[in-house]
Amino acid sequence: MMTVLLASFVFNSSAQIFDPVKWSFKADRISETEAKLVFTATIEKGWHLYSQHLDEGGPIPTTFTFQELGSAKLKGAVSEGEGHTEMDPNFQMELKYFENKAEFVQTIEVRNATVIKGELEFMVCNDERCLPPDYVPFEFKVPEYVNKKAVQVSGEQVVEIDSEPQPQIFDPVKWTFSHKDLGNGEFELEFKASIEEHWHVYSMHLPEETMTVATEFQFDSLKGVELNGVVTEPDPITQFDKVNEEELSWFENEVTFRQKIRLTETNGSVKGAVNFMACDDHQCLAPEWVDFEFKLSGEVSEGSSSTSESSGPDKSWIGIFIAGFLGGFLALLTPCVFPMIPLTVSFFTKQSKDRAKGISNALLYGFFIIFIYVVLGFLVTVTFGADALNALSTNVWFNLFFFVLLVVFAISFLGAFEITLPSSWVNKADQASDKGGIIGIFFMAFTLSLVSFSCTGPIIGTLLVEAAVNGGVMGPIMGMTGFSLALALPFGLFAAFPGWLNSMPKSGGWLNSVKVVLGLLELALALKFLSNADLVIQAGLLKRELFLAIWIGIFGTLALYLFGFIRFPHDSPMNNISIPRYLFGLVVLVFTIYLVPGLWGAPLKIISGFPPPNFYSESPNGFGGGSTVATAVLSAEGNIVGEPEHCPHGLPCFHDYEEGLAYAKESGKPIMLDFTGWACVNCRKMEEQVWSDPAVLKRLREDYVLISLYVDEKLELPKDEQIEVEIGGKTKKLRTVGNKWSYMQAQRFGTNSQPYYVVLNHKEEQLGPHAAYDPDIQKFVNWLDAGQASFKTNN
């Protein structure tokens, strides 16, 4: 093995000098007697660094040699991250290694400032070559520990708490904006983010259920220009995020987003803002808006039209095509279409001079069916346009319209009424079909489309809505292509093989059952659009528990219907249940039972993305899950103040600073100011792991007025409050309520990371040090007690 390894070194060393790993070193104080030494390796894409723990016969493991420890002592061995354990093609054995980034940590015992020196050895490979082992010297300067800060009452020490690191304004991302002239009136806008070491900015495309904020570009003003496609990004790093505890995609060091535009006038301008979120391995900053403006001039391209060049729609065109094909197959099984198959095929085979002519006419008939529905998809695209289709998924009014539309379709399928087109349209199309020839065949296909609309209309409407929302500009066209192909295939196939008609099931009551099943499924799908609208405006009308309860009702009804316990209008009497219907009913019943634990907080991964996310629920623990009943806060006049229903563990809390301050003065209690965020994972950890302790809950409920300010709250500020302010040397515009609280935190407390806890008196003075994320319950209890003691002497 070593001979092969050396051969690999020699063979590859002549081509290029590789240096794929950059090391950085940092010493962090943990306590008065401990510190940790952090070794961070930043690894180029395609390369990997090996673990410390490898079997013999493989590559050189990473090792750390400490040559000078000063006054420190090593505590345990160097620890490392999870990494990957896979078959390595260079050594033909399973090995553990790290990609993109690796972190090693050595804990030491130390009291005084000291210097630690040593050397590390490591080896890296890619899929084609390995580099010789390399040695890198390291040096750590361990600082003194700032010991304790005591709170005293009347000269007598009451309690001691560890001091926190000094507050700091983090500004790890710098944005620059430029553009390239592509000629013929086209430009490419470039949004470049320069990111400090150890920090990262998230991709535009994150999982739907995540609470982490994806990078988003908002174009507020387009004058003399039109967008050409959507904003694109390079390939991101995708790996496990330590802070958010899930696999996410992000960018490190530097990233450039691009948007193509086209001039419609000689001079044009683009104004807007980019919203982004930055995190490192320990914390996340509040989402931030940065304004941009481009001024452009050039020749206007003639006869050009906007073309989408996106990095890819949210749902692949193949997926939409398949969904359309399945929708067309379902439409075949409806009472309006299924009986038409043998009649139409018989007409072509009997009225034609020979079998070949009959087959060609039936195939032409099928082609015109496809043509008519594809033109319908094209008209939807032209009517809405690329930009409108891309905005459908988050537009409140579009989602509400789709909800109402699908409910109407569902009720129609259940038999309440028929959706039909004007009879004059059908009569004129039928008369035109009598002309014969190609024109006659076209109008026969057109007549089928009109006559069958009461059955196909709801399916087409649902498909076009989904395709427009998820498939971009080409979505409706691809969806209608799949739908019409499935609808047209039987006419061509049965015309070519008329003997197959004998094997077709006879029309009957089962066709109406198909409509009822489709109606209930459409009713369930409609809720998704109502939920989208509710989430965008944070109305709280359709939270997760209610959504799941309605779905349980719908699918429970479907199961009972399939088993014959429920009948709808136009259903035929049923003496027995067919095996396929029984099996389908069994599947629906199992799915309904699967939904029930979701009311108690089960994740329900099978339907992830359909119901509202877990955090958007009436209770973190679901119904009957032991959640605490919210405690109302009453003013002196007996009125409820604050928002107790939106606070962790049902604590009485406020989400408005001035309102909370007024109540604190009235009640005579100190304020615990909690800077938090909806997408702040460490905030949720503190609330679930620390605040849930009875000792902490008792103090928060009885001794403090809790004011929780969400720095990522998206509720828009009134126009007169949307002002420009200076934060960290940069001018920024306060657009949302979250921006307002983030600015308050930075201006008054000199930091912008969460969670961040401060105790205030009624003069709005800070009492003692702040607190941050720390799962040590006793330390948090001590901090609360110290704040209470200080309030009694300094209010």
Side-chain angles (χ1 to χ4, degrees):
M1 180 62 71
M2 186 57 66
T3 304
V4 174
L5 182 58
L6 291 173
S8 175
F9 294 156
V10 172
F11 180 79
N12 292 296
S13 61
S14 60
Q16 182 181 351
I17 299 296
F18 294 98
D19 185 21
V21 181
K22 299 291 188 296
W23 288 91
S24 61
F25 312 105
K26 182 177 67 171
D28 289 335
R29 273 285 186 177
I30 301 175
S31 66
E32 185 180 3
T33 59
E34 287 185 343
K36 62 180 181 180
L37 311 179
V38 183
F39 307 78
T40 303
T42 303
I43 308 161
E44 289 183 6
K45 188 174 182 180
W47 292 86
H48 53 262
L49 168 74
Y50 290 102
S51 164
Q52 302 174 89
H53 313 297
L54 303 176
D55 295 332
E56 293 184 1
I60 304 297
T62 302
T63 57
F64 299 87
T65 303
F66 294 89
Q67 298 163 342
E68 297 180 21
L69 290 174
S71 60
K73 291 182 181 180
L74 300 181
K75 185 177 180 181
V78 177
S79 63
E80 63 182 30
E82 293 183 7
H84 305 276
T85 302
E86 297 177 7
M87 178 62 68
D88 190 306
N90 297 294
F91 300 94
Q92 293 300 308
M93 59 188 298
E94 279 203 351
L95 298 171
K96 179 181 177 181
Y97 56 81
F98 303 92
E99 295 178 322
N100 301 318
K101 189 175 182 180
E103 188 173 276
F104 302 85
V105 178
Q106 171 69 63
T107 303
I108 60 171
E109 294 181 0
V110 62
R111 288 186 176 276
N112 304 318
T114 190
V115 176
I116 296 176
K117 295 182 180 181
E119 186 178 65
L120 66 89
E121 180 184 15
F122 70 97
M123 180 174 167
V124 289
C125 297
N126 60 17
D127 290 339
E128 300 175 355
R129 59 173 61 86
C130 290
L131 303 184
D134 197 3
Y135 296 87
V136 175
F138 59 78
E139 178 177 333
F140 294 91
K141 294 181 179 179
V142 183
E144 287 282 355
Y145 178 70
V146 180
N147 190 13
K148 300 275 186 174
K149 182 178 288 187
V151 178
Q152 297 189 353
V153 180
S154 302
E156 180 182 349
Q157 183 169 307
V158 175
V159 68
E160 289 187 343
I161 57 175
D162 290 345
S163 63
E164 299 290 338
Q166 290 299 311
Q168 179 183 351
I169 291 291
F170 294 101
D171 188 20
V173 183
K174 302 291 189 297
W175 287 90
T176 56
F177 308 105
S178 59
H179 64 270
K180 290 181 180 179
D181 189 343
L182 304 179
N184 197 30
E186 291 191 354
F187 290 84
E188 185 174 70
L189 309 182
E190 294 186 344
F191 311 83
K192 181 179 177 181
S194 299
I195 309 163
E196 290 182 4
E197 189 176 5
H198 305 304
W199 290 84
H200 54 260
V201 169
Y202 291 97
S203 163
M204 296 191 297
H205 310 293
L206 298 181
E208 185 175 342
E209 64 273 10
T210 186
M211 294 172 63
T212 306
V213 177
T215 300
E216 173 192 1
F217 291 85
Q218 179 175 304
F219 297 92
D220 299 325
S221 173
L222 299 173
K223 295 182 179 179
V225 302
E226 61 182 8
L227 299 179
N228 185 2
V230 297
V231 179
T232 61
E233 66 180 26
D235 292 334
I237 299 168
T238 300
Q239 61 187 49
F240 186 78
D241 189 312
K242 293 181 181 178
V243 175
N244 296 293
E245 296 185 336
E246 59 183 327
E247 188 173 87
L248 296 173
S249 300
W250 66 73
F251 302 96
E252 296 177 348
N253 302 320
E254 184 178 289
V255 59
T256 301
F257 301 87
R258 292 179 169 85
Q259 167 71 62
K260 289 186 177 181
I261 64 166
R262 180 179 289 108
L263 285 178
T264 57
E265 300 176 12
T266 305
N267 296 305
S269 66
V270 178
K271 291 183 179 180
V274 55
N275 187 29
F276 70 98
M277 182 173 176
C279 297
D280 63 9
D281 287 341
H282 308 288
Q283 62 192 331
C284 288
L285 304 183
E288 181 179 347
W289 286 95
V290 175
D291 294 321
F292 57 76
E293 181 177 2
F294 298 90
K295 293 184 178 179
L296 311 162
S297 61
E299 297 181 0
V300 180
S301 57
E302 298 181 1
S304 62
S305 62
S306 179
T307 308
S308 175
E309 296 184 10
S310 70
S311 59
D314 292 334
K315 182 181 285 186
S316 70
W317 294 341
I318 294 177
I320 293 175
F321 175 84
I322 293 173
F325 189 86
L326 293 175
F329 179 74
L330 291 174
L332 280 172
L333 304 179
T334 59
C336 312
V337 179
F338 190 82
M340 299 290 292
I341 297 175
L343 294 175
T344 306
V345 172
S346 297
F347 172 82
F348 284 125
T349 53
K350 292 178 181 179
Q351 297 299 321
S352 302
K353 295 180 180 180
D354 52 52
R355 182 169 180 269
K357 185 66 175 176
I359 292 175
S360 64
N361 285 343
L363 293 176
L364 190 61
Y365 178 72
F367 168 78
F368 281 133
I369 292 175
I370 296 174
F371 174 78
I372 289 168
Y373 283 108
V374 170
V375 168
L376 175 62
F378 176 74
L379 291 175
V380 169
T381 297
V382 171
T383 302
F384 286 101
D387 297 331
L389 293 180
N390 288 328
L392 290 181
S393 61
T394 57
N395 186 281
V396 175
W397 297 111
F398 269 119
N399 277 285
L400 289 175
F401 171 74
F402 292 154
F403 166 70
V404 173
L405 183 68
L406 295 188
V407 168
V408 171
F409 286 159
I411 295 174
S412 170
F413 264 160
L414 294 177
F417 52 82
E418 292 284 337
I419 300 176
T420 58
L421 295 173
S423 58
S424 59
W425 295 11
V426 179
N427 294 334
K428 289 181 181 178
D430 188 47
Q431 292 170 7
S433 68
D434 294 335
K435 295 181 179 180
I438 293 177
I439 299 297
I441 293 174
F442 170 80
F443 278 103
M444 280 188 67
F446 190 53
T447 302
L448 172 69
S449 303
L450 298 178
V451 170
S452 63
F453 186 80
S454 62
C455 293
T456 61
I459 299 176
I460 293 171
T462 305
L463 179 63
L464 284 175
V465 167
E466 279 291 297
V469 170
N470 296 315
V473 179
M474 286 295 294
I477 297 176
M478 296 300 293
M480 286 298 96
T481 301
F483 177 88
S484 56
L485 181 62
L487 203 62
L489 270 178
F491 294 96
L493 291 175
F494 283 120
F497 306 99
W500 290 4
L501 287 172
N502 297 325
S503 61
M504 282 182 61
K506 296 180 179 180
S507 300
W510 67 273
L511 292 173
N512 187 71
S513 297
V514 172
K515 287 183 64 177
V516 171
V517 171
L518 291 177
L520 290 171
L521 292 177
E522 291 224 10
L523 199 59
L525 180 61
L527 279 182
K528 177 176 182 286
F529 293 97
L530 180 61
S531 174
N532 287 345
D534 181 59
L535 280 168
V536 170
I537 61 176
Q538 293 280 300
L541 299 177
L542 189 61
K543 293 194 174 181
R544 185 178 177 89
E545 291 89 346
L546 179 58
F547 183 101
L548 291 175
I550 296 174
W551 262 37
I552 290 169
I554 292 173
F555 285 100
T557 301
L558 178 55
L560 292 174
Y561 175 78
L562 292 170
F563 289 135
F565 292 104
I566 297 176
R567 286 177 58 187
F568 285 91
H570 313 303
D571 273 334
S572 303
M574 184 173 57
N575 297 322
N576 51 59
I577 301 175
S578 65
I579 298 299
R581 179 167 180 152
Y582 170 76
L583 292 176
F584 183 44
L586 192 60
V587 170
V588 174
L589 178 61
V590 170
F591 178 71
T592 305
I593 297 172
Y594 169 80
L595 293 176
V596 174
L599 298 175
W600 282 267
L604 304 181
K605 293 184 180 180
I606 292 179
I607 58 170
S608 176
F610 273 88
N614 280 316
F615 72 88
Y616 196 71
S617 58
E618 295 179 5
S619 170
N621 300 318
F623 297 135
S627 58
T628 307
V629 178
T631 304
V633 181
L634 301 179
S635 66
E637 293 78 19
N639 299 320
I640 296 179
V641 293
E643 301 177 72
E645 68 276 14
H646 298 303
C647 304
H649 308 293
L651 287 166
C653 79
F654 295 83
H655 296 312
D656 181 87
Y657 177 75
E658 296 298 334
E659 190 175 298
L661 175 62
Y663 179 74
K665 292 178 179 179
E666 178 184 315
S667 64
K669 297 179 182 179
I671 296 167
M672 194 190 102
L673 194 56
D674 163 32
F675 288 100
T676 183
W678 296 113
C680 174
V681 174
N682 283 342
C683 302
R684 301 294 85 75
K685 286 181 179 178
M686 284 293 291
E687 293 163 4
E688 294 167 8
Q689 299 173 15
V690 179
W691 290 22
S692 59
D693 183 83
V696 176
L697 272 177
K698 183 177 185 296
R699 287 164 171 78
L700 292 178
R701 191 182 305 278
E702 298 176 3
D703 299 339
Y704 282 91
V705 172
L706 176 61
I707 303 178
S708 295
L709 304 179
Y710 286 81
V711 299
D712 54 0
E713 175 61 65
K714 291 187 176 181
L715 185 65
E716 190 171 328
L717 284 169
K719 291 297 182 183
D720 58 344
E721 293 185 32
Q722 294 186 18
I723 59 174
E724 291 189 347
V725 296
E726 183 109 355
I727 304 178
K730 295 165 62 177
T731 300
K732 299 176 183 179
K733 186 176 183 179
L734 303 184
R735 297 169 176 264
T736 64
V737 171
N739 294 157
K740 176 182 177 181
W741 303 138
S742 182
Y743 170 63
M744 174 185 176
Q745 183 187 6
Q747 181 193 44
R748 293 187 55 177
F749 304 105
T751 185
N752 59 347
S753 63
Q754 294 80 40
Y756 190 86
Y757 309 116
V758 183
V759 175
L760 302 179
N761 62 17
H762 299 161
K763 301 174 186 176
E764 302 180 65
E765 298 170 337
Q766 181 173 340
L767 304 178
H770 71 276
Y773 172 71
D774 190 333
D776 188 328
I777 294 174
Q778 189 56 50
K779 185 181 290 186
F780 196 76
V781 170
N782 290 344
W783 180 77
L784 290 172
D785 288 343
Q788 180 67 229
S790 183
F791 173 76
K792 291 177 181 178
T793 58
N794 294 290
N795 189 40

